[in-house]
């Protein structure tokens, strides 16, 4: 069975690194997908929450509400005085926090795209990681990076910083989605032979875990080709 990951990539992009109480993530992504991502090790149990996200925003105490435990029960109560939301009864499973580890995500995405992984967070670059190297044929190597930003300006700055970091290497940039990619960013990437790859269009999920939705040789085909990557933000 193939699971739709669009919601996951979109949420990851604006909530990086993605995490929260299990019930809250199920409300955002659906129980089936959260369960599948947890089984695959993409979402991992971290700890038990002592706060719970509010279902709506409405004052200084929002969007967080406190968790009260009494005689074995768990109740999330409104953080405002007077209360603006009804108490929410929760189970112990509901308040277990699941989260994405960025390095682990890079590793699984890299393997799905047939990248030789060597994951590292890039010092001085926020939410930017070297995933590894893509080797389409003997003697040709392309550096592959992941950048997660939630505005057009931040995305442009992050990609531009990678050009300095990569020096003379040919490279591609993985992005959760293309919603913060502008035409000017595409033009500059094309001029430098850089391919911008939205994971929403190139990586899916089935019973075996993350998988490429297309041939990685095609996805990274124009890396290093000046002008050839224009408009290419998907497989």
């Amino acid at each position: 069975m193939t699971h739709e990951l669009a919601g996951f990539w979109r949420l990851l992009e604006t909530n990086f690194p993605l995490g929260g109480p299990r019930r809250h993530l199920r409300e955002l992504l659906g129980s089936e997908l959260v369960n599948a991502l947890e089984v695959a090790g993409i979402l991992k149990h971290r700890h038990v929450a002592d706060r719970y996200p509010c279902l709506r925003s409405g004052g200084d105490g929002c969007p967080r509400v406190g968790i009260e435990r009494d005689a074995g029960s768990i109740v999330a109560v409104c953080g405002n005085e007077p209360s603006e939301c009804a108490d929410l009864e929760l189970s112990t499973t509901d308040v277990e926090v699941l989260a994405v580890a960025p390095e682990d995500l890079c590793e699984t995405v890299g393997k799905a795209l047939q990248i030789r992984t060597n994951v590292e967070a890039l010092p001085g670059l926020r939410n930017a990681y070297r995933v590894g190297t893509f080797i389409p044929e003997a003697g040709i190597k392309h550096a592959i990076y992941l950048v997660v930003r939630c505005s057009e300006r931040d995305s442009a700055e992050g990609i531009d910083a990678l050009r300095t970091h990569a020096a003379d290497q040919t490279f591609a940039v993985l992005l959760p989605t293309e919603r913060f990619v502008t035409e000017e960013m595409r033009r500059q990437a094309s001029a430098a032979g850089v391919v911008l790859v939205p994971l929403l269009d190139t990586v899916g999920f089935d019973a075996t875990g993350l998988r490429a939705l297309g041939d990685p040789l095609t996805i990274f085909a124009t890396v290093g080709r000046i002008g050839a990557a224009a408009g290419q933000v998907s497989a």
Side-chain angles (χ1 to χ4, degrees):
M1 178 178 183
T2 300
H3 297 276
E4 174 58 61
L5 280 184
F8 172 73
W9 296 126
R10 292 190 181 105
L11 189 61
L12 178 79
E13 190 166 49
T14 55
N15 297 267
F16 190 81
L18 177 62
R22 181 182 281 106
R23 174 165 166 173
H24 182 64
L25 291 180
R26 285 175 172 173
E27 290 168 345
L28 294 173
L29 295 172
S31 296
E32 183 179 352
L33 180 55
V34 169
N35 292 344
L37 291 172
E38 188 176 1
V39 168
I42 296 169
L43 286 172
K44 296 184 178 180
H45 179 269
R46 301 301 180 190
H47 55 84
V48 176
D50 58 6
R51 307 281 290 177
Y52 192 86
C54 186
L55 299 181
R56 67 182 182 88
S57 179
D60 293 339
C62 293
R64 310 296 297 185
V65 292
I67 289 178
E68 296 183 351
R69 293 175 173 83
D70 181 30
S73 64
I74 301 174
V75 180
V77 298
C78 182
N80 290 317
E81 289 291 344
S83 295
E84 298 180 11
C85 301
D87 292 353
L88 181 64
E89 295 186 3
L90 302 165
S91 70
T92 54
T93 300
D94 289 337
V95 296
E96 291 177 345
V97 173
L98 304 177
V100 171
E103 290 81 359
D104 290 346
L105 181 66
C106 287
E107 189 74 30
T108 55
V109 166
K111 289 179 178 177
L113 292 174
Q114 298 178 23
I115 296 166
R116 182 176 294 178
T117 57
N118 182 21
V119 178
E120 62 174 326
L122 299 182
L125 292 180
R126 176 173 51 85
N127 297 346
Y129 301 82
R130 180 185 174 95
V131 178
T133 305
F134 184 72
I135 306 175
E137 59 183 87
I140 299 178
K141 297 181 179 180
H142 305 309
I144 309 297
Y145 298 94
L146 170 70
V147 173
V148 184
R149 301 293 175 87
C150 58
S151 75
E152 292 178 355
R153 179 176 179 178
D154 274 357
S155 293
E157 289 177 350
I159 294 169
D160 189 56
L162 283 182
R163 293 177 62 185
T164 300
H165 178 85
D168 295 328
Q169 297 180 89
T170 54
F171 71 97
V173 183
L174 307 179
L175 307 162
T177 79
E178 62 177 325
R179 68 175 139 172
F180 300 121
V181 175
T182 66
E183 287 303 321
E184 177 62 14
M185 291 165 62
R186 292 186 178 94
R187 186 193 66 77
Q188 292 182 358
S190 173
V194 175
V195 175
L196 308 180
V197 179
L199 295 174
L200 182 149
D201 297 323
T202 54
V203 176
F205 185 78
D206 60 21
T208 64
L210 293 187
R211 64 178 183 85
L213 297 178
D215 184 352
L217 286 173
T218 300
I219 293 171
F220 299 116
T222 57
V223 177
R225 299 182 186 177
I226 305 302
Q232 181 175 339
V233 292
S234 62

